[in-house]
Amino acid sequence: MAETELKLALTGEILDEDTEVTLVQLCRTCAVQAETIEAFIEQGILEPSASGGSHWRFRVDSIRRTRIALRLQRDLGVNLAGAALALELLDRIDELHARLQQGRSP
């Protein structure tokens, strides 16, 4: 990893689940254009918590979802509909895993 990349990685900020990001922040963080985010919204990959064009706000987990969708497209050649389905299945797996963990708790 280049020294500049390492410095950028070390300046990250930990965000809690209740944090929201703007469209601009999401685009900058994921290095994408607003049109990409709009396409992700149309396919159900992302869901803004507040709407209004450039005033959209997103839950912080939208960063993770965007990055996963981008990797699916880039690395596996998955189209948007396929990325939406993959993310839906990953969400379902996470939900089932959480339910299993609850069942194991005393």
Side-chain angles (χ1 to χ4, degrees):
M1 180 182 294
E3 186 175 329
T4 305
E5 291 175 9
L6 180 60
K7 286 180 183 176
L8 289 174
L10 294 176
T11 60
E13 182 180 339
I14 297 176
L15 303 172
D16 64 32
E17 291 180 14
D18 296 329
T19 302
E20 289 188 337
V21 295
T22 65
L23 175 61
V24 171
Q25 290 169 324
L26 183 59
C27 289
R28 282 187 190 148
T29 302
C30 298
V32 296
Q33 298 293 321
E35 292 79 18
T36 301
I37 300 301
E38 290 174 16
F40 285 7
I41 292 167
E42 289 173 10
Q43 286 294 321
I45 293 170
L46 297 176
E47 185 176 329
S49 55
S51 60
S54 63
H55 299 290
W56 277 333
R57 299 190 66 75
F58 300 87
R59 291 188 347 233
V60 74
D61 74 327
S62 295
I63 296 169
R64 180 186 62 83
R65 292 180 67 80
T66 300
R67 288 181 173 164
I68 291 171
L70 292 169
R71 279 196 307 268
L72 287 168
Q73 287 184 306
R74 181 189 66 230
D75 297 345
L76 301 176
V78 174
N79 63 18
L80 285 180
L85 176 60
L87 282 161
E88 183 180 324
L89 292 172
L90 288 170
D91 288 343
R92 182 70 175 139
I93 289 169
D94 288 344
E95 178 185 315
L96 291 171
H97 181 70
R99 288 176 61 190
L100 281 172
Q101 293 301 325
Q102 287 176 348
R104 293 183 186 161
S105 299

